[in-house]
C-alpha cells in the first residue's frame, strides 16, 4: 500500500518549513513518526509531495533515515501550471491539496492513503486506514468509487495559539459522508460542538481519484483567482459527492491528533511526543543510529 504525504506547504503561519521541524526527543519530525506508524500498519511506499527546491533537503533528512522500513520517494508539486498555456502564471504558493494528490499519479500503484506531513495522526488511525484499503479494493472502472476519511472530533484538533481551518463532516446514521465544508474555527466556536467530526486530511483513495481530480482541477481553473485560490481536497470531494461520483465512509478510531499550525504549537507537540514515548508507544530514539 502507498502513502501519499503532502509536504509542499510554505508554512507561513508557522514561520518556515514545519514539515522538517525537530519536535521529537531526539530531533525527530512529525513526518518521522508518520512514516514509522505507516510502516507498522503495512504501508510499503511513501510518496512525499514536495516543492522541487526542497527535494534535496527531504531526500537528505527523510529518505535515508527510513531505509529498510518503508520506501520513500519524492514527487514534485509545481507552482507553474503548464496546462494554462505557453506562458503560464507563476505563483508563490502551491495550488492546494487536491492538486498535490495529482502530483503522485505517476508513482502511485493501487489504493493509497493521503496525509499531511505536519499532522500527527496516531498509530490507531493508520491501522484503521490500512484495514479499509485492504478490504475495500475495487476495480478502477466502477461508476461510483468507495473512499474513506479518518475522522477526528473537532474539540481535539484545536490549537491553543490561534484559529484553525477544519473541514466539518455531515454524516448519515451509517457514518457515510453526506457533505464536507472547510472553514475557520477558534476555540470558542469549537466548544459549542466539540464532538463534531472533522477531516484532518487523512483520506483513503484509489486510482479513480486521479482522473476525477484532474477533471475537477480543470473546472476549478475555469473560474479561479489564479494567483491566490487553492484546489483543496475537501472541496474536490464535496463536488464529487454532489455529483454522486463517490461514496465516502468516515472511519472512527481511538487515536488523537496534534500538529503544527503556529510556531507556538511546537511546545505542545514536543510535550505530546514525550508523553507517548514515556508510555512506551514509541522507542527513543525513534530511528536507531540517529
Amino acid at each position: 500500500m502507498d502513502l501519499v504525504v503532502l509536504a509542499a506547504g510554505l508554512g507561513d503561519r508557522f514561520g518556515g518549513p514545519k514539515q522538517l521541524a525537530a519536535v521529537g526527543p531526539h530531533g525527530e519530525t512529525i513526518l518521522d513518526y508518520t512514516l514509522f506508524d505507516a510502516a507498522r500498519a503495512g504501508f510499503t511506499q511513501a510518496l512525499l509531495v514536495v516543492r522541487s527546491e526542497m527535494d534535496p533537503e527531504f531526500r537528505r533528512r527523510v529518505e535515508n533515515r527510513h531505509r529498510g522500513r518503508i520506501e520513500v520517494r519524492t514527487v514534485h508539486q509545481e507552482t507553474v501550471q503548464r496546462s494554462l498555456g505557453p506562458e503560464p502564471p507563476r505563483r508563490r504558493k502551491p495550488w492546494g491539496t487536491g492538486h498535490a494528490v495529482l502530483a503522485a499519479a505517476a508513482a502511485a500503484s493501487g489504493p493509497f492513503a493521503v496525509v499531511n506531513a505536519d499532522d500527527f495522526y496516531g498509530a490507531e488511525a493508520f491501522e484503521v486506514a490500512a484495514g479499509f484499503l485492504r478490504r475495500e479494493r475495487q476495480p478502477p472502472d466502477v461508476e461510483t468509487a468507495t473512499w474513506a476519511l479518518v475522522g477526528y472530533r473537532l474539540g481535539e484538533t484545536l490549537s491553543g495559539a490561534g484559529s484553525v481551518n477544519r473541514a466539518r463532516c455531515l454524516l448519515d446514521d451509517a457514518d457515510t459522508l453526506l457533505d464536507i465544508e472547510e472553514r475557520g474555527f477558534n476555540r470558542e466556536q469549537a466548544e459549542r460542538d466539540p464532538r463534531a467530526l472533522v477531516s484532518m486530511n487523512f483520506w483513503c483513495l484509489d486510482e479513480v481519484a486521479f482522473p476525477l481530480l484532474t477533471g475537477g482541477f480543470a473546472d476549478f481553473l475555469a473560474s479561479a483567482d489564479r494567483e491566490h485560490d487553492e484546489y483543496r481536497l475537501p472541496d474536490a470531494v464535496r463536488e464529487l459527492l454532489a455529483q454522486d461520483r463517490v461514496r465516502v465512509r468516515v472511519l472512527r478510531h481511538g487515536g488523537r491528533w496534534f500538529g503544527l499550525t503556529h510556531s507556538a504549537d511546537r511546545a505542545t507537540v514536543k510535550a505530546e511526543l514525550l508523553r507517548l514515548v514515556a508510555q512506551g508507544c514509541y522507542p527513543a530514539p525513534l530511528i536507531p543510529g540517529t
Side-chain angles (χ1 to χ4, degrees):
M1 291 181 295
D2 289 348
L3 179 71
V4 175
V5 183
L6 308 186
L10 296 175
D12 286 339
R13 285 182 290 177
F14 185 74
K18 54 186 175 178
Q19 306 93 321
L20 297 175
V23 288
H26 292 266
E28 298 92 344
T29 65
I30 287 181
L31 178 55
D32 286 326
Y33 286 92
T34 289
L35 297 179
F36 185 89
D37 282 337
R40 286 198 292 186
F43 290 88
T44 56
Q45 178 177 234
L47 303 172
L48 308 186
V49 182
V50 304
R51 302 191 311 278
S52 56
E53 64 269 24
M54 290 291 292
D55 187 290
E57 186 72 0
F58 272 93
R59 287 179 179 272
R60 183 180 70 83
R61 300 268 305 269
V62 181
E63 193 173 276
N64 291 335
R65 287 168 64 86
H66 294 273
R67 194 178 305 277
R69 181 182 299 275
I70 186 171
E71 182 181 357
V72 177
R73 299 172 59 187
T74 56
V75 295
H76 297 165
Q77 183 182 11
E78 302 295 354
T79 56
V80 176
Q81 185 57 33
R82 304 191 185 283
S83 66
L84 298 180
E87 296 184 3
R90 292 181 176 271
R91 289 167 52 111
R92 172 177 173 267
K93 63 191 302 185
W95 287 86
T97 52
H99 179 262
V101 173
L102 291 175
S109 58
F112 60 95
V114 177
V115 297
N116 293 333
D118 53 351
D119 289 330
F120 180 93
Y121 295 99
E124 297 93 337
F126 284 95
E127 290 291 345
V128 299
F132 173 86
L133 291 172
R134 292 189 187 102
R135 292 190 305 270
E136 301 295 330
R137 189 178 182 96
Q138 58 190 358
D141 58 348
V142 295
E143 290 187 4
T144 302
T146 300
W147 297 345
L149 167 66
V150 179
Y152 289 82
R153 291 180 179 176
L154 173 60
E156 298 175 354
T157 70
L158 303 178
S159 168
S163 61
V164 293
N165 289 333
R166 298 290 180 256
R168 182 168 179 168
C169 304
L170 176 64
L171 312 179
D172 67 11
D173 292 338
D175 283 347
T176 299
L177 188 65
L178 299 176
D179 196 9
I180 183 168
E181 183 177 12
E182 184 167 336
R183 65 184 183 87
F185 288 94
N186 58 33
R187 186 166 294 278
E188 181 181 350
Q189 292 169 318
E191 285 175 351
R192 297 171 191 157
D193 192 7
R195 298 175 66 86
L197 286 184
V198 297
S199 163
M200 300 307 299
N201 225 36
F202 193 153
W203 299 88
C204 299
L205 309 179
D206 60 15
E207 305 96 317
V208 177
F210 297 123
L212 290 177
L213 292 176
T214 297
F217 185 59
D219 293 340
F220 160 83
L221 288 174
S223 59
D225 176 341
R226 295 178 177 180
E227 185 176 353
H228 300 105
D229 287 353
E230 295 183 28
Y231 182 54
R232 297 184 177 90
L233 191 51
D235 295 336
V237 172
R238 189 183 196 200
E239 287 294 321
L240 292 169
L241 287 171
Q243 299 165 11
D244 199 27
R245 304 291 299 277
V246 301
R247 296 188 187 93
V248 180
R249 288 178 50 199
V250 177
L251 307 177
R252 299 176 185 262
H253 59 97
R256 60 171 304 182
W257 171 97
F258 51 86
L260 296 170
T261 302
H262 306 275
S263 59
D265 292 327
R266 187 192 290 259
T268 300
V269 170
K270 285 185 174 183
E272 289 287 351
L273 291 173
L274 279 173
R275 180 182 62 81
L276 290 171
V277 168
Q279 291 175 349
C281 300
Y282 298 95
L286 186 70
I287 302 164
T290 60

